[in-house]
Amino acid sequence: MITTISLSPAIDKRLEFDTFALGGTNRVAAVQAEGAGKAVNVALGARALGMDAVCAGILPFGGEPVTQRLACGGVRHDFLPAPGNVRINQKLFDRSTGVLTEANESCPPAPEELLVRAQEQAAAYAAQSEFLVLTGSLPSGCPKDYYARVLRRAHEEAPACRCVLDAEGERFALGVHERPWLVKPNRHELELFAGRPLPDNQQLLAAARALLALGVGVAVVSMGAQGALAARAQEAVFVPSLPLTVRTTVGAGDAMVAGLLYGFSQRDDLAWALRCGTASAAARCVCEGEGYLCARTFESMLEKTKAVRI
């Protein structure tokens, strides 16, 4: 089983306009709203690939679209009620120009006692799970080392559970010192951690190996159209991206995490896992309709992926 921890779920509300007049009155041509969040996405992706998935954490008032989307995707959920209102991310799309403007709210703060309960909940689920995934934003005012605390507690309570960290900035920097089993920074996030540009694969690989030296088990770096690389002790692989007609990039990195864990759940093979992660991200990018990703599309993409030892 895979458990994802969602501490800052959201509702993504997309408003489309035939033309958008800044500062004027605009008539909405179409609207779509759905529950969202990186942990939500990872759970949906894992379930689409056939894994048993649970999404736990905290959920403020008005979060029914989040639980509805998880239920529709076959994902069990277990949220602690939180004060405040669930955040809404507005996506304003001008059809005439193709320009998308985003206005994202911050997550409401969570009381310290609720954060403690969420930490205990995560440790309890880790004891039942093969994978525990920590990803996404934190509530406003939440300590930057919160993911590090959750990792520490999960390692104490459930040493057999493989913990995954997908975050950025201080949340990532503090979390890696608790030796997560797998991390998946993108190029920008790894550059932030390294404190310098990483313009080529050799420098990216060196930075990934620096994470291994801190105790990380597997370091995966996603590079969008430039492919992805993965490293662990004594080996490293690269998988080029697939040629695609991209319909969305929203949640592609989360789909990669789901695919990586699907691959590792089948066999302990770094090249195979990175191929699965790449195929899952690609399946998300070509997704149509309401589903997060299609398993048949994933299988088709997987056949086309190739891993190269580096």
Side-chain angles (χ1 to χ4, degrees), residues 227-228 239-242 256 259-260 273-283 301 305:
V239 173
S241 63
L242 298 172
M256 173 170 275
L260 287 164
L274 189 58
R275 286 180 58 207
C276 289
T278 300
S280 182
M301 296 292 181
T305 61

Side-chain angles (χ1 to χ4, degrees), residues 73-162:
V75 176
R76 291 177 288 136
H77 56 82
D78 184 9
F79 289 111
L80 302 170
N85 296 306
V86 68
R87 64 191 178 105
I88 298 177
N89 298 329
Q90 305 239 30
K91 321 291 184 182
L92 312 177
F93 182 69
D94 186 339
R95 293 173 174 174
S96 66
T97 63
V99 173
L100 179 69
T101 301
E102 299 192 39
N104 297 338
E105 296 181 1
S106 298
C107 182
E112 175 63 26
E113 59 269 23
L114 180 59
L115 293 174
V116 171
R117 287 177 60 203
Q119 181 177 321
E120 293 171 348
Q121 181 197 51
Y125 269 106
Q128 308 171 43
S129 304
E130 183 178 4
F131 304 104
L132 180 75
V133 181
L134 306 179
T135 186
S137 302
L138 296 173
S140 297
C142 185
K144 298 296 184 183
D145 69 342
Y146 187 74
Y147 278 151
R149 297 182 194 179
V150 176
L151 286 167
R152 191 179 309 125
R153 179 71 180 274
H155 287 151
E156 292 170 353
E157 299 291 330
C161 180
R162 292 186 274 186

Side-chain angles (χ1 to χ4, degrees), residues 32 245-248 282-294 297:
Q32 179 184 5
T245 300
V246 176
R247 294 185 172 90
T248 183
R284 172 58 187 166
C285 287
V286 302
C287 181
E288 289 185 293
E290 295 183 358
Y292 182 70
L293 64 82
C294 172
T297 304

Side-chain angles (χ1 to χ4, degrees), residues 199-231:
D200 57 51
N201 283 3
Q202 288 305 312
Q203 293 191 55
L204 287 166
L205 180 56
R209 285 180 168 145
L211 292 170
L212 303 183
L214 293 174
V216 170
V218 182
V220 179
V221 185
S222 57
M223 299 174 284
Q226 285 71 53
L229 63 83

